[in-house]
Every structure is written in structure tokens, then in C-alpha cells.
């Protein structure tokens, strides 16, 4: 399949980048069922690190096996598969080249007393060795460790991009001036999170789907005075895209915990309508049986296609 | 346009520097409407990082697009454009060589609980790759993190200057012995801030326009006994220039939040009269419509010309 | 002895690794009485560092001599011998090549006020110099220093594996949300610990044998709802293997303090039945007389063989 | 002028050093009015960093200009001029080779809440680039940051000396067990400070002129039992020289804040009589008019000559 | 003098080491009056750093001069001389090759408020430059900074040994679970200290001579149950040697503050009888007049010979 005009246009946004990086971005956007559409669905499996194996895989024990996760990603035809080091290694050879890989290079775990940081758990070298198209990195803007995380991102992103790897940034605000819970998914906070990722040079930005609340007092007047529309999912997604260099960055959204199929598909429709580039679907896929997961991922990709 | 005597004189102050650095300083001082005058106006866009996208760009949504900011800088004929990594990247190729660029390599954000530090968000390598004339770095003299910031500046400045890049220092005192609020813009504090930047080897110093107060008790007697004039803006600017190696460093002033056009122009007249080298105009330009912004920047540059 | 099919199969799990690392893993699995079985028994001697010399060696003073420990490992025919720098050095030449060595590169000591960290006490260079097959590293998931330990592991593991050395991870949760004492050996916590080690790219995982408790409230519902069997040692070991990439990582178990011979042998039977790869037997071997130790190690290996 | 026997003798003390370093030490000792005498007077200008520009230069505004400070040093015929990066850069080319330069590579400022540390503000590379004979570094033995400062000194000193640059150590005890105020200049503390600098390998030691008090209880008995004479300035200086490898290190003294001309000259006479190598004269020179400063520096040097 | 069988045997214990390191160990063991005996007496002069110059040298002012200390070591015929950077430098050329040198690369001082750490004050490069046979490093097992000190030791030891320099470890437990004062010299604690140094790969271990107390509750039962003899100095030294790889590491003992000549000689007899390798004699030598010091050192070496 020849690169589409849509993908060619997306690549043109990344002016500062090397042909090597653009080739990897093209690989991701030209892979799977959504190849060439400028949309993408990514399978992320970092829940084992974050919540432990039983909470992640007991609902569908086949998923304890790293090969199963590769197979799910390949059979579903998702655009890419993102996971920590061990999971990617166990399958990297068997499935070499069958699905674009993103190595998640930092991870938190829920045994820790506080949740304001993540540990570096992989290297750019690892990503090169495993044939990945990019590295994934989480930042927590607002947290006590946010500036340290941003500095780590700066280093890893610089190293990754200099070797042609995409920098995929999970931007998840928490702590600081942000209201615990509801504030973390409010519109202004998510827009800020996406903007920070864009300013940090992220190739792909991953944020949570925003609610319609505005959290920071200092921001409320701007939203009211300039009347930023945010009643519907589509409008909120549109604002997030605006905050992401006026739509000139690839942004994907996560929905969080497993929910009903209909809720999830409604969200996907909103993302598509608002101009978002796609979804990251984790627990909603690997915690279902393979048949159900393939069906759901198929429905999601049908909406985006 | 051949380098003017005025610019030639300014370059002569930078005795310790390489021809490469002087070439970049010359590029900045010989660009745009103020080329050759020894004065300069710089467009900075770090407000998105510091206050979030909506507070920065909702008043003029066109400014969400990084290309718009490049165009504004180019059409207005300002001397240079300063911004964080992502903003410069998105346009670096399209507008290559059309306006001198300064990469802001550290940034704070207002989600953080405290405001005594910034995170490193770009590298000297990035500045080279993007064809910048210099790097920008903020220090907060007085804050708990001041010595760490100064040490980071020392490293980045050394690396930048060894490659011919200007070191542009935003010197913004806060914390420590400084009275919160009013003290941060008092005359003695701003003079101290400018002096520290000069001692650190800054090529260009950026400070806030000082008020007429004296904050530190230890400094009051010196100001009184030796009768340092500071009733007018021009007199205060003159003192800041004195503290900047007796006027032998390039110093630009920022006015802070958007205010009336007349207030702003009065400040500019004071800076010019006091021997300051120019202004940094951010929110007062990109938060207005393009026509209004071009008009205002034109009026400002008319005063300096 | 030619490499068995069982070992060949185990090597096939380590897709991401170099032939050099697989050769070292093969060396370990093809050594001693359990050669070729896919099971292994390792002699660890880090108790001197952790509890001091008298508490470790007074019961059997011959063990004060590093040569004795080498001889014990060699005569018993265990798969490998793991110890800190000094112990391996004193014997490395005399016994060169007679038993696979694992250099423990971090260690704690019980003089310290708190027990939430270990100090780096050896280097990958040392392991190469001494002819080791791998390096051993302890992490304490949950502790205040856990993320730092994980980042150290990432660096050392990367360095070790790039030179073909195995990464053997002692994953011992403590602190954070874990109930002090009983929680540290509960099933969910040990499963989480094994999973983290696997995700970090451990070649061999070492955990404590789990009890039948579930410690974290957030995990209880998963264990109940999905009915994870855990009444017997074998069932619990089976779950740990599941959490270790569905049994596709080598996992060895430690039993802790010296206990009766029968208790120990029952544990070993449970590990074998549950699909665990073997045991680490420290104080139960070197604190007995050599004859008794050889007899006990023989009985243990008979069960695994 | 041919190197004198006195200077030749001083160089012989520095057994461990390279010919390059000895050449720079010789340059310093063979320069200006005191050339060849083994005595030296140094002009330091770090007060702008430490107390701000107005408190430093308002008494004599000509001193705002870095060229003025070079000219003062050259016309007075002092042995060397020590200052932070920016001040040396602005004049380095104009006055190249006219006076030995010492780059002060760390500095504190009085905006900071506490005064237990300094920030690194220059590099050994800078000192090489500017043609300096040495680098200056302040340590605060006793302070909470003392060990960090000592480790920084170790690194910078090692780097400087390996390139033939002198290591000039400002050893200013404070904090810890030292009585605030009076204790900082007591005889035992200053002797300890000089001894630490000598043990750290300082080429030149700079301490404050000691008072006759003994601060540490643990030291009092030694001073009493062994009857160390310390009634006069000369006796106290003699003890400091004893603590400085029995007089085999170059030690210079500072007097602190501006005082009467007679007090200052008396101190100088005491230093000379006690075998000290000279003085560092800062505010007492650049805060007076040039004529007065030249006159005072002349009188001081007349005493030492 | 040809290397004796005793020394040849000692060298054979250091299996992991390079010929370069063994050559330096041989140099130390074949030097001075105890050459070839496998015993050694070392002159350490770090008291000036630790207690200040007057408390160290006022009793014998000749010792202020670094040359005196070299002469004392050479004339007495001790095995080696250990001191911080400045002291070794001042004499390194004059006395080059006349006595084996050990550069103490970390040091504490008694101005600091707490005594749980030391600062790095010298480098392995310095030791090479000065022709030393080894480096000396202090650790404080138990203190809050113990793990950091151990990690520094690991780095410096690795660097030193890779260049053939001995790693001489001063292992001085304090803080943590250790009873302040008496606990620091109790038998179990000193045995633990020696064992940690051995495990860290120390070539030579330096500990204090233990008292007959047992400090840690957890250790008491082991000492009682297994009946470790410790009534006499010789028995206690024998246990320390046991904890030092069953006597296969060189261990030297310090006695601490100056005491009567008879007490000191009794201690030396106990060390010899218990199989210890020798003594470190500091204040008891350089605080006496040279004649008295030579006499005392002679008597000590007579016992060991």
C-alpha cells in the first residue's frame, strides 16, 4: 500500500525531524486496519506493572502469556503495540516485524506509597535492539516529581529522536494545584497536559478523554470569556487538538477502566468527530476473551476507518 | 545591509567570545525593523508552558498554530523569536532563516505546587539543529533552587557559547530575602538580578522593568547615601544598565501582563531614554488580532528606531 | 553432556537475548546434578553481608573460609554459586570454571537503621573479570527507595546483558502499601514481585515461597472473582509461574530461615509440582556440617531430578 | 626580571606539581610591585555577586565598568586580579597579559535565604580560555554543605592543576560546631581552615585575619598546654603559617569590611612580621576613588616590599 | 631481599587480583624493618584533617612540617605512610621511593555538626601521580550515609585496583543500630566491620582493636550458643581474623588515642598472638619527640618481627 495523502500531510507537520523518524511514523500510520487513514488504535499493556498480574490478567488468563498479547495485536490489526521491556522481549523474535512496537521506558507500580513518579525501566538501546518504532514515556505534570520527569523525558526524547524513534508521551496531570480525582480529567487540565507534551517535542501525545469541567480558577475566566465550546465529547476533543498545535500533532485518547461497550463506542465517535487521531485500548481488549476483544477492536476501528 | 557602527561597538564589548558567537549576535542586531540601531524587540512565546494553552491563546485562537507565531514575528519585523522546543520545531523548516530564533531551554508550568524552579526542556543540540542564534534560560535568584539553576545555567551557557550560540538569561528574582510581590520588581532587586546575569556571562540580559522601591534593608543605605536617581522609568533603566557592566551588556525589558497601549508605549519611551536595548513583547502581541499586534509592535519599534 | 530438549526449550523463551547470554544460561542449566532437567539449585552466601559473620558462620566455622563455600558448591553439584565480590574473588582462580558463578552486585547490612535499600557493592566489570555467568540484584518493590533500585537494576541489567551475563533478580517487596511481615510473603505480593522482575527483563527470578494470604485490598476481588487456586504450595507456585510470563521465565524460590529438614523437603516437592524451576538454599546448607549439607542438598536435588 | 631566589624557594615547596603550574605560580609572584619578594597583594572583586551592585559600586561608580577594575589592578601594580566570569571576560582581550588573572569559579549571593553554600559559576575551561593563572574556589568548613563543597573543590582543583592552573582556596569556616560570628575568625578555626586548604592541595590559601580567641572547647587545652603564642597579629599569623605546612604554602589574608587606613596598615605590618605572604584588598580599594585607592595600595605594598 | 615464603603465601590469597596489585602489596610487605614477616606497621597522619592542626601537632611542633613526617616514617622503617593529598604532595619528590605511600582519599573534619560521612578529598589519579602503592578509604557501616560511602568505595576501589593500587579500607561502624560509644568497638561490631570490608574486596582491612562486649541483641545468641572465645585480646583478634576470610586478608589494628607505652605494647602482643597482621600507629608516634617515637616504633616492630 502506497503512503496516502493523509499520512503524507501528517508527516509534513514534523518539520524538525529526521527522515528516519518520519519513516517510523509512517510505518505506524500505514499499518493495520487503519493504515493510511491518519487514525490509529494502539494496544497498551502496562497494567501488569501498574496494578499487578492478577488484577490485569485473571479475567482472561490467556493474557498472562506475552505471545498472546502479540497475537491479539496482530490479529486485530491495531496500529501498534506498547508495553514494558519484558513483555516486548518475549515475542520480539517470533513476531519480528508483524506489528509496530513502542517500548514503554518508564513505569509505576501500585505497591509504592505515593504515585507521583515512575521509574525508568527500559532504555532507548533496548528499543533499537527490539526493532521498535518508538519509545513511550509518562509524565505527571503537577506532581512533586514533575520537573524531574520532564527532564528525563527531555533526555530520552532527545536520544530516541536522534535515532529516528518516535517519542510517545503519556501526559497525565496529578498533584500540585490540580483537584484530586475530578480535576485530573477536567478540560483545562487535559488541554494543558497535551500542550506540555507538544512543547516537549512529543511525536504522539496520549491523554485521557476530558470531562467538561474546568479545574483551575485562573483558567476559568479564559474559558468563559472566550467561550470555548465544551459541551460534547467532540467539542472537548476539538479543544485538545487545538491545544496540540492546532491539530498538527497526533493525539490519541484513553478511556480508562473497562466500561460498557456502548459507552466506549460513543467515546470513539466523539474522538473521531472532534478530530482526534485515535484511541489506546488496553483493559477493554486484553481482559475480554480473544473473540470478544477482536470484535470490539473491530467495531472501534470501523468507526475510525 | 552592512553592519552599522553602533552594532560594531556592541560586539566589541564581548571580548571573551568567539567570532561564531559575535556572528550570531550580529545576526540578531542586524535583523528586522530595528536592524543596526542597537535596539531590539523580541517576541517570546513561553506563556503556553507557563499558564496553559487557553489562558495564552483563547483571546486570539489563530495563535494556537505555531506557524502563526512565526508569521507574526516575520511580518512584524521583530529582531527575534524565542520559544520552547515544540513551537520552534513546528515551523523551523518552513521559515528557516527568516527570523533569528532563541530556543528557551528551561520552562516552568503553573500546575506545580511551588514556583521556585524550572525544568530543562530543551538542549543545546536542539538549538543547533533548529538553526537558532542562541538559547534562553531562566534563573530565579533568591529561590531555594537558585544555586542549582545557576549551576545549570553555567553548564548550558558554557556548552552554548562554545558552539557560538548566545546565552540569553531571564533573571527573575523571587523567594529568599526578597519580599513576595512588590520586592520582586524593586529597583535594587532588578539591578542585582541584572548584575548576576552579567557576572554569569550572559550575552543578553532580560529583566522586568523595575519599580521605584528598594527592597533589601542592607541595600537601602547605599541607595540613599550615594543618591542613586530612580524617580523615573528612564532613571531606573539607567541604573539597571549601570549594573550591567556600565551599559556594556545588551539588556531587554519585559512589562509583564497585558496593559493599555499607552502605558506600554510610555514604558518603551522610558527604556529608550534610559539606555536600555529594547523590549520583550509577548502577551501584548500574540493575544491581540494580527492587525492590532502588527500595529502595536510597529509603534514600539518606531520609538526605538 | 549434550544440551537437552528441556533446556533447549527454556532457551527459546529468551527471544530478545544474545547468543552470549543464552550460552551462559545454558551453562547454568547444564551444570551439576540437575544438568539438563530445567531445574536448578543455587547456593547463595550473602548472609555474612546481611547479618554479620558470626550469625552466619559460627554454627559451622569452616564456612568462614571462602574456599570451603566453593568446595561445598562443587561437591554438592549445585547448579551455581551466588555471593558478593570478596567471597567470589577468594577462590575465583583456584576453582576457575568448576561451578557457575553469580556475582551479587548489591547488598544490605543489618547495622543500618532502615532496611529499604541496598548498596551497590560490585560491578559488571567485576563479574566479567571473575568469569561469572551472571549478576544478581535485589529490588524491594514498595519501599521508599524502590524506584531508585529499579532504575539501578535497569542500568546494571542493560550493561550485564549487553555482555552476555544473566540478570538474576531477587524481588523482595516491602514497605509502601504492603503489610509489614505477613504481607511480604502473601500470594498477591509475591506474584506482583515476580511479574515486576519479569517486566524488568530478568533472566532468572528469585522470590520467596508465598503463603496463602492476599494482602492488597485492591487485589482481593480479582483473586476471589476469578477464583485463583492457592490452597497448596503447588497451586501457589503455579500462580507465581503464571505471573512470570505464563511459566516462560526461570523462577527459583527461597525458603528463608533454617527449618526442619522435612518442612524444607515438603516445600521443594510443592515447588516441583507447581512447575517452579528450583530453589536457593543458603543457611540450610552452609550452617550445617559439610556432610549434613551434602546429604540435604542431595535429597533436594533428588526431588527435582 | 630574573626569578629571585625567594621565589625559586617558594616554587620548591610545590613538589607534587607540574612545571606548568609552577610557571603560573612564578608568573604571579614575579608580577607587579612585589615581584620577586615572595609577597603578594591581590585585588578581588566578587562583592557584586555577594552583596549586589549598588552596595559594591555606588561609593565609586566608575567601578561599575569592568575595564576600570582591570585598570586599577594594572596601574596599582598588584600581583593579580580575581573575579567571576563576566567581569574577567569584559576586558580579557583589551588587557590580555597585563595582569595575572584568577577566575573565581564559585559564588554566593545575599538574596539566598541561607549562606551555607555557593554555586559553581565558572569552569576550568573558562579560566584557560581567558588566560588565567589559576582558579579561585570558596569552601565553608563546618557548614551543612561543607563536604559537598570540598568534593567540588577536589574535582575542580584536580582539573585545574592537571592543566597547570593554580588552585586558590578561600577557606571560610561557618556553621557546624563554630560559634556564629566571633568563632568564625577565632585563631583555632582559622588555623583549621588553613590546614584543610593545605591538605586539599591548595596552591594558595586565603583566610581571614584571625582574632585572638579560641573557639572549640576540644582545641582550648592544646593551645593552653602547649602555650601557642597568639597575643599579637604577628604571632597569630605565625601560627596560621605553621598550620599551613610549617610556612611552606603561600597564604594571603583578607581583612573584611572597609576600615580606617591605619587599622589596615597595622594589619599588613602584622602579616608581614608573622611571615604571611600578603593581602587580598577588595572593598578598601575599589570603593575609594582611583587616586585614593592607588595611594593606599601603594602604602600596603611598600610595607610588604 | 628476596620475597619470603610468608609473603608469597599472603599474595596467593588475592586470587582475583592483577600482578600489578600483587606487586604493590609485595612492595608494602617487603619494606622496612618488618619486611618479609607478613606483619606491618603503618604511620597514618589524618589527624590534622580530623581534629585540626593544633590538637594534632602542638605536642610536637616539628610535625607541622610534612617533611618531618616522611622522615619519621623512613627513619623508623615502618612499612608504609598514609596521609591526605597535601601532606603526601609536600615531600613526594624529595622522598620519592623511600617509603610505600597510601593516599587517604576521603576525610572528615570535626567542624562538621555530624560525623556520619566523609568527603572525597583525593583521586586515584593523584595516587598514581604521587607513586603510591594504594589508596585508603573510610566507611562508617551503620551510619545514615553508610550505603553512599560503600558505593563510593566500590567505585574508587574498582578504579584503584584496575590500576594495580591496593584498596585499604578503614571500616569504622557507628550510628544505626550500634550503641553509641561502647558499641562501636564491641567484638561483634568490629567483626562485622572487618567482614564487610573483606566482602567489598579490600586488600587491607583496618579496624579498631575490639573490646570484649557484644552489642547487637541479634548477635548475642550466636556468640553464646557457639561459644566464640573472646576473653583476651588475642582471642578477639583471632575472631576478627576469622571474620576476615578465615585469616586470608591482611588486617591491621588501630588503638586510638595516645595511652601508656605499656598498654600499647600489650595490645601489640595480643594482635601478634591472635594472628593479626599489624598496627597503625598515629598519634602515639608523631605526637612524641622524634627520639621517643623512633624508640616506641622500634619496640612495637620488635614484637612483630
Amino acid at each position: 500500500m502506497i503512503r496516502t495523502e493523509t499520512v503524507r500531510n501528517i508527516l509534513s507537520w514534523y518539520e524538525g525531524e529526521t527522515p528516519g523518524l518520519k519513516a517510523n511514523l509512517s510505518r505506524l500510520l500505514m499499518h493495520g486496519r487503519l493504515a493510511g487513514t491518519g487514525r490509529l488504535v494502539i494496544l497498551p499493556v502496562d497494567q501488569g506493572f501498574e496494578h499487578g498480574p492478577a488484577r490485569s490478567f485473571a479475567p482472561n488468563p490467556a493474557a498472562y502469556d506475552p505471545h498472546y498479547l502479540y497475537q491479539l495485536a496482530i490479529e486485530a490489526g491495531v496500529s501498534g503495540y506498547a508495553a514494558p521491556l519484558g513483555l516486548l522481549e518475549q515475542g520480539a523474535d517470533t513476531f519480528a516485524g508483524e506489528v509496530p512496537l513502542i517500548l514503554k521506558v518508564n513505569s509505576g507500580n501500585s505497591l509504592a506509597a505515593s504515585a507521583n513518579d515512575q521509574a525508568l525501566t527500559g532504555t532507548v538501546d533496548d528499543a533499537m535492539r527490539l526493532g521498535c518504532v518508538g519509545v513511550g514515556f509518562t509524565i505527571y505534570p503537577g506532581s512533586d516529581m514533575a520537573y524531574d520527569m520532564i527532564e528525563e523525558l527531555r533526555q530520552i526524547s532527545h536520544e530516541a529522536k536522534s535515532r529516528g524513534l518516535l517519542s510517545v508521551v503519556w501526559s497525565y496531570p496529578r498533584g500540585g494545584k490540580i483537584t484530586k480525582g475530578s480535576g485530573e480529567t477536567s478540560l483545562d487540565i487535559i488541554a494543558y497536559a497535551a500542550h506540555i507534551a507538544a512543547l516537549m517535542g512529543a511525536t504522539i501525545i496520549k491523554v485521557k478523554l476530558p470531562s467538561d469541567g474546568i479545574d483551575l480558577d485562573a483558567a476559568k475566566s479564559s474559558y468563559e470569556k472566550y467561550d470555548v465550546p465544551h459541551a460534547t465529547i467532540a467539542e472537548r476533543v476539538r479543544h485538545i487538538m487545538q491545544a496540540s498545535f492546532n491539530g498538527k500533532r497526533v493525539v490519541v485518547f484513553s478511556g480508562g477502566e473497562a466500561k460498557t461497550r456502548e459507552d466506549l463506542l460513543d467515546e470513539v465517535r466523539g474522538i473521531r468527530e472532534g478530530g482526534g487521531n485515535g484511541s489506546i485500548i488496553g483493559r477493554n481488549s486484553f481482559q475480554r476473551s480473544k473473540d470478544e476483544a477482536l470484535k470490539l477492536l473491530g467495531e472501534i476501528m470501523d468507526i475510525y476507518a
Side-chain angles (χ1 to χ4, degrees), chain A:
Chain A
M1 184 174 178
I2 293 173
R3 187 157 64 202
T4 61
E5 199 50 43
T6 303
V7 170
R8 203 174 298 275
N9 183 40
I10 290 175
L11 297 188
S12 78
W13 303 336
Y14 293 87
E15 302 187 12
E17 307 298 351
T18 61
L21 184 141
K22 291 182 187 178
N24 273 324
L25 182 54
S26 178
R27 248 166 233 135
L28 188 70
L29 292 170
M30 295 305 295
H31 181 85
R33 279 192 56 186
L34 293 173
T37 63
R39 311 280 183 160
L40 68 172
V41 166
I42 290 173
L43 172 68
V45 190
D46 46 0
Q47 284 78 3
F49 224 129
E50 300 210 342
H51 300 124
R55 286 173 69 193
S56 303
F57 306 123
N60 177 32
Y64 279 115
D65 190 332
H67 277 208
Y68 173 85
L69 299 165
Y70 268 98
Q71 286 158 344
L72 176 61
I74 292 165
E75 292 181 31
V78 297
S79 312
Y81 168 42
L85 184 65
L87 278 187
L88 289 196
E89 285 184 331
Q90 229 289 8
D93 194 52
T94 303
F95 304 101
E98 297 196 60
V99 60
L101 301 176
I102 294 164
L103 178 65
K104 189 77 197 320
V105 294
N106 67 347
S107 309
N109 70 64
S110 52
L111 298 176
S114 79
N116 62 0
D117 198 8
Q118 295 205 341
L120 295 170
T121 57
T123 66
V124 171
D125 272 355
D126 291 322
M128 293 302 290
R129 174 172 60 89
L130 297 171
C132 298
V133 299
V135 295
F137 193 92
T138 297
I139 55 174
Y140 296 144
S143 91
D144 287 353
M145 298 300 290
Y147 284 9
D148 293 275
M149 296 181 93
I150 285 174
E151 296 195 352
E152 286 173 347
L153 169 57
R154 166 183 173 265
Q155 289 181 327
I156 283 173
S157 178
H158 184 261
E159 188 185 350
K161 289 164 79 170
S162 71
R163 302 193 192 178
L165 294 179
L166 313 183
S167 163
V168 185
V169 177
W170 273 239
S171 193
Y172 284 3
R174 57 177 64 181
K177 296 183 181 153
I178 303 161
T179 305
K180 197 170 163 57
S182 66
E184 294 166 7
T185 52
S186 63
L187 181 64
D188 60 323
I189 295 299
I190 299 288
Y192 204 157
H195 193 60
I196 286 175
L199 291 173
M200 290 304 297
T203 323
I204 298 179
I205 297 164
K206 176 176 178 296
V207 288
K208 291 186 180 165
L209 196 61
S211 69
D212 61 355
I214 306 295
D215 191 49
L216 294 184
D217 285 337
K220 275 177 186 156
S221 62
S222 296
Y223 280 88
E224 284 163 14
K225 184 172 175 192
Y226 301 104
D227 202 17
V228 180
H230 60 282
T232 68
I233 292 179
E235 283 171 343
R236 297 197 290 272
V237 167
R238 197 163 292 127
H239 178 58
I240 301 305
M241 297 310 294
Q242 202 176 30
S244 304
F245 292 172
N246 215 23
K248 289 183 179 161
R249 280 296 171 273
V250 173
V251 183
V252 294
F253 295 83
S254 62
E257 294 201 31
K259 56 192 70 164
T260 71
R261 181 184 147 282
E262 257 325 300
D263 285 353
L264 182 58
L265 295 181
D266 278 351
E267 286 180 3
V268 168
R269 285 183 200 103
I271 294 165
R272 185 204 52 192
E273 189 185 334
N277 294 87
S279 295
I280 279 212
I281 307 287
R283 280 170 283 182
N284 274 303
S285 58
F286 66 75
Q287 290 190 339
R288 297 168 195 244
S289 71
K290 200 178 190 183
D291 283 351
E292 284 178 56
L294 290 176
K295 184 156 175 293
L296 181 63
L297 287 169
E299 289 174 311
I300 289 167
M301 289 188 280
D302 282 348
I303 293 171
Y304 279 127

